Amino acid sequence: MPHQLLSLEHFRHRLAHADALPQLVVLGILSGLAAGGLISLFRSADTLLQAWLLSGGAERFEELPDVYRLLLPVAGSLLLIGLFSCIPPQARAVGIVHLLERLSNHQGRLPAFNLLIQWLAAVIALASGHSVGREGPAVHLGAGAGSWLGQKLNLPNNSLRLLVGCGAAAGIAATFNTPLAGVIFAMEIILLEYTMVGFLPVMVAALVGDVVSRALIGEAIVFTAPDLAIGELTQLPLVALLGLLCGLLAAGFHLLQMQTFRLLHWHFSIRFLLAGLLTGLVALYWPEVMGGGYDTIESLFHEPAPILFLCGLLVAKCLLTPVVIGLGIPAGLIGPTLFIGAVAGALLGAVDSLLTGTAHTGMYAMIGMGAMMAALLNAPLAALLAMLELTQNAGIVLPGMLALLIASLTTRYGFKLPSIFHASLLRQGLDVRQAPLAQILSRAAVGSLMRRDICQASSEIHLSTARTLLEAAPYRILVESDKRHFLLPPADLRHYIDSLPEQAPEDLNINLLSIPAHRIDTSYLLYRATLKEALDLLREKELESLVVVSNQEEPMGMISRQQIEEYYHQKQSLS
């Protein structure tokens, strides 16, 4: 018995239940280790390649000669064209939108080859100065590590979904050493729900991913921010104005990217070259638009910049980034989002400083960074925590909450815009938001609910075999033949046997396809499927029961529509 409790099969069986918290925490640890290691390799490759290309160090694109700033993005686009030309079209799908689509339609099964392409493509795009960030690739890589772990262990699909969330949280945590923001990002953007059973494994994964990255490559200190706070409550109207400005910028970003998506029917070579050429031309005048721009953000925290420079930089970044990402450059938009918000905040602070001489532009740059992220991603809590963890400045929480609130309301209710990621999916005809029924049924696998008291029989059996089957007192008899497979109530078989003459020989043949009985048509479903998948299949095939089979297609039990409905009503009454 102790040996069975420690077996992988028992582990899988427990994971089929919605309340398998100890097992899920173990998976959170494992996914954190896998994601932390993979992200550490990604960060190291990005840093080393930029150090080799840029004499001033990572992100120092401003120090390049003009001709290099023009040609470097074009060269990066040519490398991406070469990479994409060597792989099939399905392997080119990468990023958070791809992750959400796989989570919605494929139970979180992320192809391993796409992870490799994401790793290579993101390193090329970032090192060549495209106006993109590394956060989207980090989320894809982290989630892919969690998904790969679940697939290798043949875990039920309900736990595979949570492993994707664990990996995404660990990916954010390992990239920026912001574990709390990683947790909330995974819950707000990836899993779209908050539950205690889901929250703890995701938290463990983010913690482990952060520790692994710190141990392997050191701390990812992105910003060194001054300790600033709001001086007087009279500054709050300006903070509210900043929230409104970021909301308007996010709406413009959103609409421009959606319009650029109309060009996706162009061949990727044309789109990538156009993105590289646009980036190079803009970088001739505003080199700060290249890459994530983290060095520029940090400089805005400490020193004010000329108003005309900030205006030009804000327009350039707001127009370039959504076009580059809309053209298909395979990297993220969260970093550029932080950049746009910081520049908008610094600009508003500089204007106020010019008029009143009291504002510190650094504080508004920090607040704008979070407000823009909240507005575009429709994730205000994740944005607030990211702003707090990246700056290590608790003094901006109060004004930051006000700015994030107004920015989110502007895009969400003023312009009726969803998250930029979900808008991209809606454009493809997909909606990843789950109804309450789907949410509850996605948390448990069929193995947690199925009845195991079934037995198998061929369509023709002897009378003695029929008596043996009935002695086992099964709930249903699974009858399989070349023509048909169905479930037979044992009572019907017993009634037929009782109707036979007492002197009937034991080797009498009984054809289960022709005796008077209620035959329940059925279909097969893998044991790792969720209850939602089971209900979808029942509805699609208009069945009342399904046979649950192992990976070797051996029957393990059965599950009915009535069982699933009773489970849902029970869980709904407890919530």
Side-chain angles (χ1 to χ4, degrees):
M1 180 64 70
H3 175 71
Q4 292 179 349
L5 292 176
L6 295 176
S7 67
L8 182 57
E9 192 59 39
H10 177 74
F11 189 74
R12 292 194 191 105
H13 174 68
R14 283 299 308 148
L15 285 170
H17 296 74
D19 58 349
L21 189 55
Q23 290 79 13
L24 291 173
V25 169
V26 171
L27 289 180
I29 295 172
L30 295 177
S31 62
L33 290 171
L38 188 59
I39 296 301
S40 296
L41 287 174
F42 173 64
R43 279 178 50 192
S44 298
D46 180 31
T47 301
L48 290 174
L49 187 56
Q50 288 200 35
W52 178 64
L53 290 172
L54 308 175
S55 58
E59 293 285 329
R60 304 301 297 178
F61 294 99
E62 300 90 338
E63 300 179 11
L64 290 174
D66 289 354
V67 65
Y68 284 7
R69 294 204 301 273
L70 174 63
L71 296 179
L72 186 59
V74 176
S77 293
L78 291 174
L79 287 175
L80 289 174
I81 292 170
L83 175 64
F84 275 44
S85 298
C86 299
I87 59 176
Q90 62 269 22
R92 300 169 190 161
V94 295
I96 295 179
V97 174
H98 164 69
L99 160 63
L100 293 173
E101 187 274 328
R102 297 294 298 189
L103 195 62
S104 177
N105 293 339
H106 302 275
Q107 293 77 48
R109 296 180 177 277
L110 299 177
F113 191 59
N114 291 59
L115 293 185
L116 175 61
I117 299 304
Q118 172 70 98
W119 195 91
L120 292 171
V123 168
I124 293 172
L126 291 167
S128 59
H130 279 284
S131 182
V132 291
R134 63 188 182 192
E135 305 78 18
V139 171
H140 182 189
L141 293 173
S147 176
W148 176 85
L149 177 67
Q151 292 178 66
K152 289 299 179 182
L153 295 177
N154 273 326
L155 300 183
N157 289 345
N158 63 315
S159 56
L160 197 64
R161 172 183 173 83
L162 188 58
L163 271 171
V164 169
C166 289
I172 290 288
T175 302
F176 287 121
N177 297 144
T178 54
L180 191 53
V183 170
I184 303 304
F185 179 88
M187 306 302 282
E188 275 191 312
I189 299 295
I190 306 300
L191 298 178
L192 297 174
E193 61 181 3
Y194 287 94
T195 62
M196 182 57 67
V197 173
F199 191 80
L200 291 179
V202 171
M203 182 184 294
V204 170
L207 173 64
V208 173
D210 188 6
V211 171
V212 168
S213 70
R214 290 176 190 266
L216 292 179
I217 57 176
E219 294 189 12
I221 301 176
V222 180
F223 303 126
T224 302
D227 188 15
L228 299 173
I230 189 169
E232 299 177 356
L233 294 180
T234 54
Q235 292 180 274
L236 289 180
L238 187 62
V239 171
L241 181 60
L242 175 58
L244 177 62
L245 174 61
C246 288
L248 295 173
L249 291 172
F253 187 110
H254 187 291
L255 296 174
L256 182 56
Q257 182 170 312
M258 291 301 112
Q259 290 299 314
T260 309
F261 277 153
R262 295 186 175 185
L263 306 180
L264 288 179
H265 65 281
W266 292 3
H267 192 269
F268 65 84
S269 59
I270 298 175
R271 290 186 279 110
F272 287 2
L273 275 177
L274 178 59
L277 185 60
L278 288 174
T279 302
L281 291 173
V282 174
L284 288 176
Y285 299 94
W286 290 281
E288 292 81 7
V289 300
M290 300 181 75
Y294 303 122
D295 56 333
T296 302
I297 295 176
E298 184 168 341
S299 68
L300 294 176
F301 290 166
H302 296 274
E303 297 293 337
I307 292 178
L308 290 179
F309 167 77
L310 291 173
C311 287
L313 184 58
L314 181 61
V315 172
K317 193 73 170 181
C318 284
L319 294 179
L320 179 64
T321 301
V323 170
V324 166
I325 294 176
L327 289 172
I329 296 298
L333 57 77
I334 299 177
T337 298
L338 300 176
F339 183 98
I340 292 171
V343 174
L347 175 60
L348 197 61
V351 172
D352 184 65
S353 180
L354 181 65
L355 297 176
T356 66
T358 57
H360 194 297
T361 58
M363 183 187 70
Y364 291 99
M366 296 180 205
I367 296 171
M369 188 172 63
M372 186 67 184
M373 178 180 172
L376 194 60
L377 273 60
N378 193 24
L381 187 53
L384 179 64
L385 292 172
M387 180 181 68
L388 179 59
E389 287 188 298
L390 288 172
T391 63
Q392 296 292 309
N393 182 9
I396 60 173
V397 171
L398 173 62
M401 291 176 67
L402 176 61
L404 267 63
L405 172 65
I406 294 177
S408 298
L409 288 175
T410 301
T411 52
R412 182 69 176 175
Y413 294 101
F415 290 91
K416 310 296 183 184
L417 296 176
S419 160
I420 187 72
F421 302 127
H422 297 147
S424 301
L425 284 171
L426 289 171
R427 185 187 171 277
Q428 301 174 31
L430 301 171
D431 190 354
V432 299
R433 294 170 296 181
Q434 290 186 319
L437 172 64
Q439 285 185 342
I440 291 176
L441 297 184
S442 293
R443 295 172 192 154
V446 292
S448 66
L449 206 60
M450 71 178 182
R451 296 197 62 148
R452 297 178 179 270
D453 50 345
I454 68 169
C455 59
Q456 292 177 259
S458 59
S459 58
E460 291 194 8
I461 59 175
H462 290 151
L463 176 58
S464 59
T465 305
R467 296 188 193 278
T468 303
L469 288 174
L470 294 176
E471 287 175 1
Y475 176 69
R476 291 286 186 269
I477 300 172
L478 173 61
V479 181
E480 297 179 299
S481 70
D482 294 336
K483 297 180 180 179
R484 184 183 180 189
H485 53 267
F486 56 88
L487 292 167
L488 183 71
D492 292 355
L493 178 59
R494 187 180 301 277
H495 180 73
Y496 176 76
I497 292 175
D498 291 342
S499 69
L500 294 174
E502 293 184 4
Q503 64 272 23
E506 291 297 309
D507 61 351
L508 176 68
N509 279 334
I510 299 177
N511 190 332
L512 299 180
L513 290 171
S514 60
I515 67 171
H518 175 54
R519 295 172 184 84
I520 306 169
D521 288 325
T522 188
S523 184
Y524 294 148
L525 181 71
L526 280 175
Y527 78 98
R528 62 172 177 259
T530 64
L531 296 179
K532 178 182 179 300
E533 293 175 77
L535 185 60
D536 289 343
L537 184 59
L538 287 168
R539 289 171 172 171
E540 176 188 345
K541 297 196 172 184
E542 298 182 349
L543 299 172
E544 291 301 320
S545 298
L546 296 171
V547 175
V548 181
V549 298
S550 66
N551 284 332
Q552 291 74 36
E553 297 188 356
E554 292 293 330
M556 301 172 63
M558 62 158 289
I559 190 167
S560 66
R561 183 193 297 260
Q562 182 180 357
Q563 286 176 280
I564 296 174
E565 291 175 350
E566 289 176 353
Y567 174 88
Y568 170 70
H569 291 307
Q570 178 188 10
K571 292 296 182 181
Q572 191 180 41
S573 64
L574 294 176
S575 60

